[in-house]
Amino acid sequence: MRRLLRWAATAAALPVLAACTGTPPEDAGPAEAGADARPIPAECEAAADLPKRQMRGVWLTTVRNIDWPSEPGLEAEEQKEELRAQLDAAAELGLNAVFFHARPTADAVYASDKEPWARYLTGEQGGDPGYDPLEFAVREAHARGLELHAWFNPYRVGWKDPDLDGLSGDHPAVEHPDWLVEYDDQGWLDPGLPEVREWVTGVVMDVVDRYDVDGVHFDDYFYPYPAGGEEFDDDASWEEYGDGGDRDDWRRSNVDALMADVHAAIEESEPWVRFGVSPFGIYRNAGSGPGGSDTEGLESYSAQYADTRAWIEQGSVDYLVPQLYWERGFSAADYEVLAPWWAEEVRGTGVDLYIGQAAYRVGEDGEKAWEGDGALARQLDFSGGLPEVGGDVFFSMQDLRGRAQGAMERLSEDHYALPALPPRAGGGEGRPDPVGGLGAERTGDGGVRLSWDPVEGARSYAVYRVAGDGADDPCALAGRDNLVGVVGAGDGPSFTDTAADTAAGAAEDGSGGGDEGLRYFVTALDRYRTEGAPGEGEAVAAPTG
C-alpha cells in the first residue's frame, strides 16, 4: 500500500496534482500566485472516466406565475421566502444552474429604467415589488453554488387578456405602437425593425452590465408559433427593409442579426457571461431540405424562422438547449434520432450542447413512456452516452418539485450521484490562486467540516475527498470521482462532508487506504469557471471503532 502523500513536507508534489485541475487552453498564462497550475496533461484527461463539468439546469418561470412567485401580489418577504425555497430545492436535487425568467413579456423582473415591472410580481404591470428580484436571485443562487442565467423573451409582449389590455404607459409597445404586431391572441415586437433589434440588445446589455449573472438565455419564442388562418402582419417592415427578396429568408436574417448583435455585445462587455438559446427541438425535417433530421413535425427553421445551424456556423451562441420533449421511440420526433442529430451539428464547433428535458410530461395521462420514476432517467440513459451532450436543463421548477419529484430523485441516484462543476466559459487568462488555510474537524455525527481562506476573485469552490493511498495520484482531481461539493464564494467559505465516515469505511472495505483516513483538497473557480490549483491538502484520520 502506498503511503499517504504528506503535502506539507513534500511541496514539490503539489504541481503534479495541480496539473490535473482546470481546463484552460494550452497557452493560458498562470496566475501570479498560482504559477504551478498547468493545463491537464493528456494522460489525466484520459484517466477521468467521469468528466467533472456538466450542465444541470432548470428553468424557473415567472410568466403567468408558473413557477414563481406562486401568485401575484405577495409581500416582498413572502416572495423572497418562496424563491429561497426554489433555490434550496435546486441545490438539493444536484443541479448547478437556474435559468431565471427575468424578462417574460417585454417587461422586467428587476429594477429597470427601460421597461416596466412585470405584472406577475404585484398583479399590475409597473407595480414596484419593493425589492429587486433579480439582484436577490443572483445573490442567493451564488451563495448556494448555483449559476444564474438571466432568461429573456426577446419579442413577446404577451397575451391580449390581460397583458395587452393592461400595458403600462412606459411599456415599449405603448411608447412605440408601430413596433407592436398582434397575432392570434398575442402581441409581439416586430423582429423586422432594426430599432427593435437595437432595443432588445440594449435591454439585455442593461442586465449584463448591472447584474452579476452567469449567462443570458433566449427560449424558442422568436417569430410566433403558427396559428391556423392567421398571418403575421409585418408588411410595413418588410416593405421598408425586405429589399424584394424571399420573405422567409428575410425573417430568418432578422433573427440571425439579433443573435449576432447580442453575442457580440456580451463578448465585448462581459466575456465570461455565456449566451445560449433553447430552440424548438426540430430544426428541419429531412423531407423539407438537406441536413434535416429524420422527423415529421413542426420546424423551427420555417415556423419561428430560427436558423440554429447558422448560429452555430457563425459562432453567435455559446450553447444550445434544444427542447427534446419527446420520448425515445416516438415516431414523428424520436428522441433517439434528435439527440444524435444535434450532437452531430455541434461536433467540433466549440458550441456546447445541453438537452431540454420535459419534466412537465412525467405522469402524463395515457403516455406509457412517461410513467414511473424512471421516466427522466431513461432519456439521460441514451443522450448521456453522446460525447457532445454536456448536460441537461429541465422544464420546469414546479414539476421537479411536483409531478416529476420521484423521477428526479431516481435520476439523481442514477446520473447525479456525484456533484459536477459548471461548464467553462471561453476566454480568460490565468487561474485563481490556490486555496490556503484549509482546516478540517469532525462534526461528531460522522461528518467533517472544512473551512478555508477566501480567494480573491473566486466565484465558487470545488471540494474533493481522496481516500488514503489515492491522495498521491497525480490525476486524482481530474474527474468528478472524488468531487464531493461545489460551494459558493463568501467571506468565510466552508463545507460539511456529511458522508465522510461512510466514505472512509467504503475505502477500508474495498478501494484501499481506509486505515489511513481521508485527505481533502479545495480549489477555487473564477467567473470564467476556470479552476485553480489545489492548496495544501488536509488529512482526517479514519474513524476509530
Side-chain angles (χ1 to χ4, degrees), residues 183-184 224-231:
Y183 178 82
D184 195 22
Y225 278 82
E230 297 286 334
E231 293 291 335

Side-chain angles (χ1 to χ4, degrees), residues 158-173:
W159 294 263
K160 184 169 179 58
D161 180 20
D163 298 311
L164 300 187
D165 294 337
L167 294 177
S168 63
D170 56 348
H171 192 280

Side-chain angles (χ1 to χ4, degrees), residues 88-95 397 400-401 405 408-409 412 416:
D88 284 341
E92 290 165 2
L93 288 169
L95 305 180
M397 193 66 217
L400 295 190
R401 302 183 71 192
Q405 182 174 348
M408 194 62 193
E409 290 172 353
S412 295
Y416 291 175

